[in-house]
Structure formats: C-alpha cells, structure tokens
Amino acid sequence: MSEFKINTVLVTGSNRGLGFEFVQQFVNRENPPETIFATCRDPEGARSQELKKLSEKHGNVIVIQLDATDSASINAAVKQVEKHLNGKNLDLLINNAGVLNPQSLETQTAEDMLQVYNINVVGPMLVTQAFHHLLKRPGEESKAKSAIVHISALLGSMQEVPKLFSHFPVISYRCSKAALNMLSCCHAVGYKQDGILSIAIHPGWVQTDMGGSQAPLTKEESVGEMMKIISSLNETQSGTFVDHTGKLIPW
Ligand code: NDP
C-alpha cells in the first residue's frame, strides 16, 4: 500500500524518451495528477514539439524550462513551480534526464567524464536540493508522503560489470550511474525525517534515442512497469536499487 498520493509531479528531461512517456502515462491515468511539471532544456525546440502539443491538449501538463546542469535555470523553474503550486507541496520528483557517451577505457577523456558526471549526477543533486523544500513534509517522521525517483541504470551496478563490460564499456556513464545510486541512498537516509522516499530504478534496456532500436523493451512497457513501482512505493523500498519489474539489483 502506497504511503503517498501523486497529485503533483515533476519530471526532468520530459521532451522525449522515457521522460515524455512518463508524462503521457500520468496524463492517461484513471486519476491523473492535478499538475504534471514537464521540464526540459528547450521547450521551444524541435525535439519538444510533441510535449508542447500534449500540454496544449491537457491543462494539467505545465511545460517548464529546466537544464539540470544550470543553477539559474533550476532556480527559475522552482519559482514557476512554486507559483503554480500556490502553497501546495510537490509529491514526486523524477530525476530522469541523462546522457550516455560510448567511451571505452582507451577513448575515455577527462572532458567527457566530467560532462557526463555533471549531467547524470550533479544535475539530480542540484535539482533535488532546489525542490527539497516543496517535497518536505515537516514533522511527519513516520509517514512518508513524497518521493524522489532517480532513473539509474544496470550499467552502474558494480556486480554486473563482468557480464556486460565487453559489450558496453561506457566508462563515464557507468561511473556516473554508480555515483547516482549513492546520491539516491544519501537522499533516502538524509531526507527520511522529512517524509521523503528515494529510490533508484533501472528502466530496462529501452527503445529510445539512447537505448536504440535494438532494445527489447518499448517505452510504454518500461514506464508502465516503473509506474507500478512508483505508485506503490513505501518506506521499506527507500534507499534501494531496483529494475523496472521491482527486482533488487546488487550495487
Ligand atoms: P534519451 O536520450 O531518449 O532522452 C534523454 C533526455 O534527457 C532528453 O529529454 C534530454 O533532453 C534530457 N537531458 C539531457 N541532458 C539534460 C540536461 N542537462 N538537462 C535537462 N535534460 C537533459 O534517453 P532515455 O529516455 O532513454 O533515458 C532517460 C533516462 O533513463 C536516462 O537517465 C538514462 O540514463 C536512463 N536509462 C535509459 C536506458 C535505455 O535503455 N533507454 C537504460 C538505462 C537507463 P534534450 O532533448 O534537450 O537533449
């Protein structure tokens, strides 16, 4: 049984891929959230047109500019969200935005390592920090009522390295997702007294621009499964790393 109700949700990187699918599936729920803050880097760009159309059709989808690596952009997004919420809280933050650059041990550069870390780790850290006051449920230690979902990856699991390394070395991506998992654990422990749950979810290998067309899962399948996990989140799952089916992944 879930300990929180999703009336308000914010998704990063929601103009395409899994982020856009999250917004679509929230919109199509039997009881959709009152407000879905669909954030993306470039709301007017060519790759945001589908999201724009969706928001024109559904009044509860609010498109907001948010570059997860840019503090000024994040702070401006917080102000807009606060205005829309008008004193209400944020129930769910989905840190979905991410990048993968296919670097091997031989080709990995410092520049790429830092860029990927900045987007995949510093981004979720800054975004969560900035929205923390809206997620926080003061004085309700035992009853969690909000959640942070970090979209992580199996490639960030250290125990899985021997199985997949030769096919997918992706050094900067692996290191960044391992670090994101640590951030998620820190959020789970550090924000427990604020009534905030934190979980890291591997969406499976999914057909998106990042996952490619050979991936076995469709966006609909992956997000559909993740929605089930999110909807029934409880305190015992906070601080864990699971796949889209809810199975625990070893660190
Ligand atoms: P896509 O490449 O399809 O989409 C990535 C999204 O992240 C885009 O909306 C992109 O925006 C956004 N983004 C990138 N950088 C930033 C930034 N600085 N600020 C805000 N948004 C940004 O990827 P997926 O949808 O496949 O991936 C979503 C998440 O799922 C990622 O975290 C990824 O690591 C994870 N994942 C995906 C898997 C897969 O098989 N697809 C497997 C495991 C994990 P823009 O259009 O502006 O570039």
Side-chain angles (χ1 to χ4, degrees), residues 18-206:
L18 296 173
F20 182 66
E21 185 60 29
F22 268 118
V23 175
Q24 275 191 311
Q25 293 203 17
F26 274 120
V27 163
N28 293 327
R29 277 187 146 196
E30 206 173 307
N31 292 308
E34 274 169 38
T35 317
I36 302 159
F37 297 106
T39 73
C40 60
R41 282 197 279 206
D42 183 11
E44 296 305 322
R47 290 202 287 201
S48 303
Q49 291 311 305
E50 262 196 285
L51 176 63
K52 203 174 170 187
K53 276 189 209 143
L54 190 74
S55 76
E56 282 162 5
K57 234 172 111 186
H58 300 275
N60 58 343
V61 178
I62 311 292
V63 179
I64 291 178
Q65 197 278 340
L66 189 156
D67 181 329
T69 61
D70 178 352
S71 293
S73 159
I74 297 169
N75 292 337
V78 170
K79 288 214 164 65
Q80 286 193 59
V81 169
E82 280 172 346
K83 206 169 146 199
H84 280 283
L85 286 175
N86 196 20
K88 280 191 238 151
N89 288 107
L90 189 62
D91 297 321
L92 176 64
L93 166 64
I94 303 183
N95 280 315
N96 162 77
V99 290
L100 180 157
N101 294 336
Q103 303 295 346
S104 67
L105 285 173
E106 290 72 30
T107 63
Q108 183 62 61
T109 61
E111 194 189 22
D112 172 77
M113 195 87 180
L114 291 170
Q115 190 216 352
V116 172
Y117 192 88
N118 198 27
I119 297 172
N120 293 0
V121 190
V122 180
M125 184 276 291
L126 289 177
V127 170
T128 307
Q129 215 170 42
F131 286 97
H132 172 241
H133 65 291
L134 295 172
L135 290 161
K136 195 174 171 178
R137 302 297 191 263
E140 297 204 24
E141 283 194 25
S142 58
K143 277 211 159 185
K145 283 186 183 155
S146 66
I148 306 156
V149 170
H150 295 284
I151 304 300
S152 185
L154 184 66
L155 294 173
S157 162
M158 292 183 213
Q159 287 198 40
E160 293 287 329
V161 175
K163 282 190 214 158
L164 298 167
F165 185 76
S166 57
H167 287 96
F168 304 104
V170 291
I171 307 302
S172 51
Y173 185 73
R174 283 178 178 278
C175 294
S176 72
K177 292 297 187 181
L180 178 67
N181 288 346
M182 174 58 87
L183 180 70
S184 178
C185 282
C186 293
H187 286 155
V189 174
Y191 294 156
K192 189 170 189 272
Q193 79 273 12
D194 298 332
I196 304 172
L197 308 173
S198 174
I199 189 167
I201 307 183
H202 165 59
W205 183 13
V206 195

